[in-house]
Amino acid sequence: MKTTTFKGRDFLAETDFTREEIETILDVALELKRDRAMGVYHDQLLRSKTLFMIFYNQSLRTRNSFEAGMTQLGGHAHFLDPGKIYTPALEGKEVAYSTERVSDVARVLDRMGDAIAIRCYGDPVDWEYGGAHNLLKEFARWADIPVLNMEDDIYHPFQGLADVLTVKEKFGGFSGVNFTMSWAYSPSVHKPRAVPQSAILYASMLGMNVTLAHPEGMELDPAIIAQCNEYARVSNGKFRITNDFEDGVRNAHVVYPKAWCPVVMFKQPVGEDDPKKAQAIFDEHKDWKCTQETMALADKNAIYMHCLPADRGFEVANDVIDKTEGPGWVSAVFDEAENRLHVQKAVMSLVM
Ligand code: CP
């Protein structure tokens, strides 16, 4: 375990870390989780340190798990609403006395605290795919303290870490685990791709048998798919794509159905800047919903996963998400949500 190599590093994408480093983070997360359960507290690890959290979008889990995590480690998390500060903006997107250039915000916060965490996707960057990730990279360019990605328009690396920690706890490891990430219907097309993209990246990096299931038109970023294929080759895992929901779920150990937007939602040239077309594609596939019948196709000891918030009655039936106990398959969504806390404490302890 080479923990010294983490100090001062940014966490913008899972691809910034090796498999060995990701496994170290998961080990540290489990250690912190077990210690807390035993009443062993680590409130000196980040004593007197400050995490600045800038949220361009809403959040329940991310905000509260980072905030609780910093408290448990002896530090403080400071919530910043971009509408109540001078909104951090890239050069060319500035408005006098309303925004402040990211390079200036980053250097000011760098002088006062110990890490900067940012969430940004969708409307704040006018659905320009990659625009939010570029904003985070600009923060990282100017701040010497670590910059952490709390979800952008490409990656949600802490959600993905919590997802694979949950798999490790439920199945004891990754090899031989059939991991299905599937699209599911939601009435809202305003859903980023970050969760499914991070989930399939980690799952293929760690050697699982990964299936990505979605209707035609709901393809993910081709660069992410290429990276998954490469990870699967190196890890001796598998990676495949199907346009058939039932085929995707059959014999899965992990069933992870959630909505994400189609590429047409994004601005040109990546997309078509066409939410109406996105809605029409969504509405053709209302039958992509996780029900008891869906779970009956999966492995008998499967787990249902979702990053939350879930659109109950659309993405998933109540009697699936609420079945948190066996016999048979179970919903693991609250373990998954709790694990946000433990993986983030691990990363913050290592990089701060
Ligand atoms: N899963 C997740 O990121 O939840 P929040 O949007 O509530 O932070």
Side-chain angles (χ1 to χ4, degrees), residues 290-292 295 303-306 308 310-313 315-327 329-334:
C290 191
T291 61
Q292 294 240 6
M295 293 307 294
I303 57 171
Y304 164 79
M305 293 182 74
H306 194 292
L308 303 181
D311 289 320
R312 284 170 174 262
E315 291 176 301
V316 60
N318 288 323
D319 57 12
V320 171
I321 193 169
D322 289 329
K323 186 180 177 291
T324 53
E325 287 175 11
W329 60 266
V330 292
S331 166
V333 295
F334 300 110

Side-chain angles (χ1 to χ4, degrees), residues 55 58-63 119 121 150-151 156 159 195 307-309 340:
F55 278 95
Q58 69 272 38
S59 168
L60 174 71
R61 282 141 289 270
T62 304
R63 176 176 176 180
R119 164 169 286 194
Y121 57 80
M150 298 195 293
E151 186 173 6
H156 196 349
Q159 181 64 55
V195 167
C307 58
L308 303 181
R340 292 293 304 275

Side-chain angles (χ1 to χ4, degrees), residues 45-46 49 51 65-71 73 77 115 117 146 148 158 341-352:
L45 268 179
L46 296 181
K49 299 211 175 197
L51 171 73
S65 51
F66 270 107
E67 203 160 319
M70 278 303 288
T71 303
L73 295 169
L148 311 179
F158 290 102
L341 172 71
H342 306 299
V343 297
Q344 287 157 201
K345 283 172 68 180
V347 172
M348 291 192 291
S349 302
L350 290 163
V351 303
M352 291 169 73

